[in-house]
Amino acid sequence: MNAKIVATGSYLPKKILTNKDMEKIVDTTDEWILQRTGIKERHIAEEEATSDLAYEASLDALRNTNITPNEIELIIVATVTPDKPLPATALFVQEKLGADKAFAFDINAACSGFMYALSIANAYIKSGAVKNALVIGAEELTKITDYKDRGTCIIFGDGAACVLLESTEDEDEGILDIRLHSDGHYTDLMQVPAMGSVEPCSKEAIDNRDIYIKMKGNETFKLAVRHIIGVSKESLKQKNMDFKDIDLMVSHQANKRIIDLVAKKAGISPEKTVVTIDRHANTAAASIPLALDWSVKNKKVKKGDTILLNSFGASLTWSAAVIKW
Ligand code: UT7
């Protein structure tokens, strides 16, 4: 049994913050942001919760299927910005959808979160435990972004996207391989220092701005390029493939320069890469499904295509998957 993507969906909150708007918030320029990251604008959630974005993305995916919410068996939400610490955001999504027969939970693997969730759902389907699964990446990173830190605030945005997986008996289609990695030696590269058991919410945590993302961007960048190439090769090799065999590479959208460098080093032509970071910025767990959904809606993907997904995130997690569409 394989797991196959039968639908994709996405949702972006209405409010847009352009680089020009960013110039009014921190000491930066539109040119610097565009040149160093490829970002032009990002979406910002105001009244909506992460589960609202996830719910809208799910409706978008279900719209073109004959599956009703009541038939969904598993819901996984990948997020680092849950509605609340407790309960899981996936339960709010389940309730909003009326997916009463599903079981639902969240996972946190930062920007690799969607890939980790996809691998879990894949395993459940392959084992025969469930016949379908809704895998969602949803984030409101702007809620944990420090708008006094120009080194980080320019790259993050909000959004949600998802895939609906179904089992197939055709072993040559769907998710052919998926590889996950993590390295706990690098937890200081990217973290929110407070709001957990180590440093619960306090006035001091707020005053020190420890409730926001801290990131060593430059070091993270270098590791990202190396690990994305390594894990992608590893995943392709499992299927006796190489970079030349792929039709499309859908990468985590952290920085356009990372995507370009990976493509250059792997010998993948720019037309085979997907770039949505200009409009979405970095939306962590939502970024790969947002880019995939955009590719589907814009007819960049056709039946029989070999698609390489790859991710890199805090800190450190990285992964790749090979999909036959
Ligand atoms: O999502 C998964 C994990 N995250 C990533 O993969 C992020 C990877 N990292 C990055 O995308 C980049 O490191 C950033 C976009 C975050 C930063 O770009 P950078 O080219 O690595 O900049 P930098 O931190 O090395 O800073 C270079 C210079 C510094 O000035 P000096 O010291 O050379 O005078 C910074 O102060 O650029 C300055 N700078 C800025 N200037 C204008 C940093 N941020 C800004 C800014 N506007 N927003």
Side-chain angles (χ1 to χ4, degrees), residues 27-28 32 36-37 111 150-151 154-155 190 215 217-218 220-221 252 254-255 257-258 282 312-313:
D27 179 16
T28 191
W32 192 95
R36 303 306 294 166
T37 69
C111 302
R150 69 173 182 172
I154 48 110
I155 71 168
M190 228 181 135
M215 181 176 72
N218 216 289
T220 312
F221 187 105
H252 167 50
N255 188 318
R257 288 189 296 129
I258 296 180
N282 181 346
F312 185 85

Side-chain angles (χ1 to χ4, degrees), residues 10 16 30 47 60 126 146 174 243 278 291 294 301 318-319:
S10 65
I16 289 175
D30 176 29
E47 299 301 314
D60 187 38
K126 275 181 111 56
D146 186 350
F243 289 115
D278 52 340
W294 180 86
V301 184
W318 64 104
S319 66

Side-chain angles (χ1 to χ4, degrees), residues 87-137:
T89 298
L91 273 77
F92 293 113
V93 178
Q94 175 183 24
E95 196 269 331
K96 283 169 188 166
L97 279 173
D100 294 340
K101 297 213 177 88
F103 64 103
F105 58 92
D106 289 2
I107 73 118
N108 173 345
C111 302
S112 297
F114 172 77
M115 298 291 281
Y116 273 59
L118 191 69
S119 83
I120 297 166
N122 182 46
Y124 270 105
I125 287 177
K126 275 181 111 56
S127 74
V130 300
K131 286 194 288 299
N132 65 46
L134 188 58
V135 180
I136 308 166

Side-chain angles (χ1 to χ4, degrees), residues 10-302:
S10 65
Y11 179 78
L12 292 157
K14 299 281 164 294
K15 185 176 172 185
I16 289 175
L17 198 69
T18 64
N19 289 350
K20 282 279 173 208
D21 296 328
M22 206 53 103
E23 287 179 0
K24 294 178 201 134
I25 301 173
V26 281
D27 179 16
T28 191
T29 59
D30 176 29
E31 294 74 31
W32 192 95
I33 302 172
L34 191 58
Q35 206 174 53
R36 303 306 294 166
T37 69
I39 298 167
K40 292 179 184 158
E41 59 187 35
R42 66 287 289 143
H43 290 253
I44 310 268
E46 292 180 293
E47 299 301 314
E48 295 162 302
T50 299
S51 65
D52 293 320
L53 312 191
Y55 167 66
E56 293 293 343
S58 304
L59 289 186
D60 187 38
L62 290 172
R63 200 165 287 138
N64 298 319
T65 70
N66 47 19
I67 295 180
T68 60
N70 209 30
E71 290 168 311
I72 299 169
E73 297 184 23
L74 167 63
I75 300 171
I76 311 178
V77 174
T79 187
V80 294
T81 46
D83 284 18
K84 304 171 185 220
L86 181 81
T89 298
L91 273 77
F92 293 113
V93 178
Q94 175 183 24
E95 196 269 331
K96 283 169 188 166
L97 279 173
D100 294 340
K101 297 213 177 88
F103 64 103
F105 58 92
D106 289 2
I107 73 118
N108 173 345
C111 302
S112 297
F114 172 77
M115 298 291 281
Y116 273 59
L118 191 69
S119 83
I120 297 166
N122 182 46
Y124 270 105
I125 287 177
K126 275 181 111 56
S127 74
V130 300
K131 286 194 288 299
N132 65 46
L134 188 58
V135 180
I136 308 166
E139 301 283 12
E140 292 197 1
L141 292 179
T142 61
K143 300 272 169 69
I144 56 167
T145 293
D146 186 350
Y147 286 97
K148 285 194 189 304
D149 176 8
R150 69 173 182 172
T152 60
C153 72
I154 48 110
I155 71 168
F156 298 118
D158 301 336
C162 64
V163 299
L164 183 67
L165 295 176
E166 273 190 328
S167 62
T168 167
E169 283 175 14
D170 184 347
E171 282 183 10
D172 297 325
E173 67 171 359
I175 300 170
L176 302 185
D177 185 70
I178 186 157
R179 309 270 120 194
L180 310 178
H181 289 285
S182 67
D183 187 340
H185 291 102
Y186 291 95
T187 50
D188 64 328
L189 279 190
M190 228 181 135
Q191 55 171 259
V192 178
M195 306 301 279
S197 63
V198 172
E199 193 185 347
C201 184
S202 65
K203 185 175 177 309
E204 202 187 346
I206 296 168
D207 290 347
N208 291 340
R209 311 193 75 73
D210 283 345
I211 59 172
Y212 301 118
I213 300 171
K214 313 273 179 210
M215 181 176 72
K216 295 179 184 164
N218 216 289
E219 282 171 63
T220 312
F221 187 105
K222 286 174 198 148
L223 284 162
V225 175
R226 175 149 46 95
H227 283 316
I228 292 170
I229 292 176
V231 70
S232 299
K233 256 189 205 160
E234 194 187 324
S235 191
L236 287 163
K237 201 171 164 204
Q238 293 300 316
K239 290 287 137 191
N240 295 318
M241 290 185 198
D242 202 342
F243 289 115
K244 66 176 170 19
D245 299 310
I246 66 160
D247 297 298
L248 197 69
M249 178 172 81
V250 184
S251 300
H252 167 50
Q253 310 281 309
N255 188 318
K256 184 172 181 293
R257 288 189 296 129
I258 296 180
I259 300 170
D260 291 347
L261 257 174
V262 167
K264 194 173 165 203
K265 284 178 188 274
I268 298 168
S269 64
E271 307 80 65
K272 290 186 177 180
T273 65
V274 179
V275 176
T276 49
I277 190 168
D278 52 340
R279 289 150 285 142
H280 301 165
N282 181 346
T283 56
S287 101
I288 291 179
L290 272 171
L292 184 63
D293 180 64
W294 180 86
S295 307
V296 172
K297 285 179 176 144
N298 287 279
K299 312 245 181 302
K300 304 276 176 210
V301 184
K302 57 184 187 310

